C-alpha cells in the first residue's frame, strides 16, 4: 500500500528513504515505528517490508499506515531479500535501514548535504549499556565490518544498490567491502544516528562465521585467517579487561 504524505520534497533537505523490515516483531516494532515517525527530519520516505507476520505486527503497521509511504506484508526469502524489496520502492536521495528492534535517533542533514558526491555516509550507533560504535572506513574493513548499517546512509543518486541475498546475515558487510575494494568514498559523521539492539542476528556466532565467508570469497584464504586471528585477539583483550577490572 502506498501513501506519499510523509515526503515534503524540500530542496534544502535531501529525501531520506527509511526502510524497516520485520517478521513477527509485535513486541519490538512499535518502538521502531515511533522513532521514525517522530524524527524531526522533514523529508522522510518510510517503507515497511513485512515478511507475512501472523502475530499482530500487520495490525500495528495498519495502525501507523498514515505515516508510512509504502508497506507490504508477504513471504520473502530472508532479511536482505526484504531489504531489496524496500530498495525497489525507494525514491529518496539517500536510504538507511532501521529494522525491528532498532530506533532512529537523528538524521544528520548538514552532513548528508556535504556528502552529496560520496557513495555513502556513516554515523555512530548506541547500544545497550551506552556502548557507542564509531565507524571507520579504512583497511580495517578487510578484517571485520567497521560500518554499522543502522547508521549507514547509501547515496541512491550514485548507485542502484542491491544486497547479495546468498548472504543471510551480513550482506551489508559484503556490500560495504565491495565499496572499499572498488575505491568508493564514504563520509563519516560524528552524529549518533540510531539505537541498535544487541539481540539481533548480527550479534551472533553465525554472523561472525558468515563474515569469514564474505572475507574468504572476496579477499582469499589468507585474509580469512588474518580476520579470524584478529577477532580472537579482540575477544581475548575484552575478556582479559573484564577479569582484570572485575566488571
Amino acid at each position: 500500500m502506498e501513501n506519499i504524505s510523509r515526503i515534503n520534497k524540500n530542496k534544502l533537505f535531501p529525501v531520506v528513504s527509511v526502510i524497516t523490515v520485520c517478521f513477527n516483531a509485535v513486541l519490538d516494532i512499535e518502538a521502531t515505528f515511533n522513532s521514525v515517525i517522530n524524527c524531526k527530519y522533514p523529508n522522510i520516505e518510510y517503507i515497511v517490508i513485512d515478511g507475512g507476520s501472523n502475530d499482530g505486527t500487520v495490525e500495528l503497521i495498519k495502525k501507523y499506515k498514515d505515516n508510512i509511504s509504502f508497506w507490504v506484508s508477504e513471504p520473502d526469502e530472508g532479511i536482505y531479500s526484504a531489504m531489496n524489496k524496500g530498495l525497489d520502492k525507494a525514491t529518496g536521495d539517500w536510504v538507511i535501514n532501521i529494522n525491528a528492534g532498532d530506533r532512529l535517533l537523528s538524521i544528520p542533514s548538514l552532513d548528508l548535504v556535504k556528502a552529496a558526491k560520496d557513495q555513502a555516509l556513516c554515523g555512530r550507533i548506541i547500544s545497550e549499556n551506552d556502548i557507542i560504535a564509531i565507524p571507520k572506513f579504512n583497511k580495517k574493513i578487510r578484517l571485520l565490518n567497521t560500518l554499522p548499517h543502522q547508521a549507514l546512509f547509501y547515496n541512491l543518486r550514485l548507485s542502484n544498490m542491491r544486497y547479495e541475498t546468498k548472504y543471510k546475515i551480513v550482506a551489508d558487510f559484503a556490500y560495504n567491502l565491495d565499496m572499499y575494494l572498488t575505491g568508493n568514498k564514504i563520509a563519516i559523521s560524528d552524529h549518533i544516528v540510531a539505537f541498535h539492539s544487541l539481540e539481533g542476528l548480527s550479534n551472533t556466532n553465525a554472523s561472525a562465521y558468515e563474515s569469514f565467508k564474505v572475507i574468504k570469497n572476496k579477499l582469499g584464504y589468507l585474509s580469512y585467517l588474518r580476520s579470524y586471528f584478529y577477532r580472537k585477539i579482540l575477544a581475548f583483550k575484552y575478556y582479559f579487561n573484564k577479569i582484570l577490572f572485575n566488571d
Side-chain angles (χ1 to χ4, degrees):
M1 297 183 66
E2 301 205 32
N3 171 20
I4 61 172
S5 62
R6 288 298 315 270
I7 307 175
N8 188 19
K9 295 293 186 183
N10 185 328
K11 291 184 179 180
L12 294 175
F13 297 89
V15 177
V16 176
S17 298
V18 179
I19 298 174
T20 293
V21 304
C22 54
F23 177 67
N24 285 345
V26 69
L27 297 179
D28 302 313
I29 197 64
E30 193 162 22
T32 302
F33 286 163
N34 282 320
S35 75
V36 177
I37 292 167
N38 294 325
C39 180
K40 297 186 183 302
Y41 190 82
N43 274 5
I44 290 179
E45 175 186 57
Y46 194 23
I47 297 167
V48 178
I49 308 295
D50 178 73
S53 295
N54 56 16
D55 68 336
T57 298
V58 175
E59 286 68 27
L60 283 176
I61 295 173
K62 291 177 179 178
K63 175 181 175 180
Y64 293 98
K65 64 183 177 62
D66 290 342
N67 297 105
I68 296 172
S69 306
F70 173 86
W71 70 272
V72 67
S73 180
E74 61 186 14
D76 53 52
E77 298 177 0
I79 295 172
Y80 293 100
S81 172
M83 287 184 183
N84 283 343
K85 282 185 186 180
L87 287 167
D88 289 338
K89 292 295 181 180
T91 65
D93 302 302
W94 297 85
V95 64
I96 185 172
N97 294 288
I98 302 291
N99 294 330
D102 299 328
R103 297 197 294 273
L104 181 65
L105 302 180
S106 68
I107 294 178
S109 54
L110 183 58
D111 289 344
L112 289 177
V113 172
K114 291 179 178 179
K117 295 183 179 180
D118 296 327
Q119 194 76 14
L121 179 141
C122 192
R124 301 179 179 188
I125 62 170
I126 188 168
S127 301
E128 287 91 345
N129 300 322
D130 294 329
I131 298 171
I132 296 176
I134 300 173
K136 295 179 177 63
F137 191 60
N138 52 33
K139 63 182 180 180
K140 192 174 179 181
I141 201 171
R142 299 171 67 96
L143 300 172
L144 72 170
N145 193 11
T146 55
L147 300 171
H149 85 263
Q150 301 85 0
L152 186 51
F153 300 85
Y154 295 104
N155 193 337
L156 293 181
R157 290 179 291 183
L158 299 183
S159 69
N160 183 28
M161 67 169 297
R162 292 296 182 275
Y163 294 107
E164 295 180 77
T165 54
K166 67 180 179 181
Y167 301 117
K168 302 302 181 183
I169 306 174
V170 296
D172 56 299
F173 173 44
Y175 187 85
N176 297 341
L177 185 56
D178 282 341
M179 285 196 296
Y180 175 80
L181 295 175
T182 52
N184 286 293
K185 185 179 178 182
I186 293 183
I188 300 297
S189 171
D190 293 334
H191 284 78
I192 297 176
V193 171
F195 169 85
H196 169 54
S197 171
L198 296 176
E199 296 181 1
L201 279 174
S202 61
N203 299 291
T204 62
N205 287 334
S207 172
Y209 293 143
E210 190 170 271
S211 294
F212 293 143
K213 183 178 179 181
V214 168
I215 291 169
K216 186 176 179 180
N217 288 346
K218 295 184 180 295
L219 298 173
Y221 188 73
L222 185 57
S223 292
Y224 153 72
L225 288 177
R226 289 194 187 105
S227 175
Y228 177 82
F229 286 111
Y230 179 75
R231 290 170 187 248
K232 288 292 185 183
I233 291 170
L234 290 181
F236 174 79
K237 286 181 177 178
Y238 171 78
Y239 287 111
F240 179 79
N241 286 331
K242 195 170 184 180
I243 294 171
L244 184 65
F245 295 106
N246 195 28
D247 188 5

